Amino acid sequence: MTSRFIEPLAVGRVIGDVLDMFAPSVNLSVIYTSRQVNNGCELKPSAVAISPRVAVGGQDLRTFYTLVMTDPDAPSPSDPTLREYLHWIVTDIPATTAASFGRELVAYESPRPTIGIHRFVFVLFKQMGRQTVYPPVARQNFNTRSFADLNGLGLPVAAVYFNAQKETAGRRR
């Protein structure tokens, strides 16, 4: 079961560029309007302008999670000098609930890729306790691994990503 979730992350270079190899252990569902995010799917920037509904699995309501959303391809996939660009952090998400029940540490910033196809990665970490995660210094040059280390989060428990590219005026809906 694990390889089914890890393989697309490895093929899409999410494992390597953003994350180390890990074993998914919690269900993570990310839905924009009515569109579920599946690894490697393409979503238009206009479809991801508003923060998604995020549902977190897990059994124990005393367990809390942190959700991070980054773009490892900023400003362009061929020259990602801002890698990673931070789009969102929600902490203190109780198990078996939605991210809306958590604490938004960094406000959602909608993806607006300008050049090339960008990957937007959602990473879920299990927290040691409530209110144990601190905000990063900046959105640019964010590092998911360093953020996890600084906050004692360890390896991810789930991750999913989608692709997006700049919309031309005729393609917008």
Side-chain angles (χ1 to χ4, degrees):
M1 174 165 158
T2 301
S3 65
R4 190 178 70 142
F5 293 102
I6 287 295
E7 190 175 341
L9 294 170
V11 170
R13 295 185 339 274
V14 169
I15 291 178
D17 288 351
V18 180
L19 305 172
D20 293 325
M21 186 61 78
F22 72 99
S25 58
V26 173
N27 288 328
L28 172 64
S29 170
V30 178
I31 300 169
Y32 282 99
T33 314
S34 59
R35 186 97 192 269
Q36 171 114 15
V37 174
N38 293 308
N39 283 319
C41 71
E42 182 159 341
L43 297 174
K44 291 178 169 58
S46 58
V48 297
I50 300 169
S51 64
R53 286 192 332 270
V54 177
V56 175
Q59 282 76 43
D60 187 353
L61 289 172
R62 294 169 299 189
T63 302
F64 295 91
Y65 296 94
T66 292
L67 179 75
V68 173
M69 178 189 179
T70 71
D71 174 0
D73 301 314
S76 78
S78 60
D79 188 24
T81 55
L82 301 179
R83 174 179 293 167
E84 301 160 41
Y85 188 85
L86 177 64
H87 282 270
W88 199 28
I89 296 180
V90 182
T91 65
D92 299 334
I93 304 166
T96 72
T97 62
S100 57
F101 289 97
R103 184 168 61 106
E104 194 173 59
L105 203 61
V106 175
Y108 182 81
E109 186 177 310
S110 62
R112 291 186 297 273
T114 53
I115 302 166
I117 298 172
H118 290 239
R119 297 164 293 167
F120 294 91
V121 183
F122 293 92
V123 187
L124 189 69
F125 295 97
K126 184 177 176 182
Q127 293 176 210
M128 292 297 145
R130 277 187 91 166
Q131 298 184 348
T132 57
V133 177
Y134 300 95
V137 178
R139 287 183 186 259
Q140 293 181 5
N141 300 117
F142 178 80
N143 185 295
T144 299
R145 288 180 184 98
S146 296
F147 176 77
D149 286 347
L150 286 169
N151 287 286
L153 297 171
L155 289 173
V157 294
V160 66
Y161 81 100
F162 69 91
N163 296 317
Q165 59 187 313
K166 184 176 182 176
E167 291 178 72
T168 59
R171 287 180 56 200
R172 285 200 178 112
R173 281 195 199 168

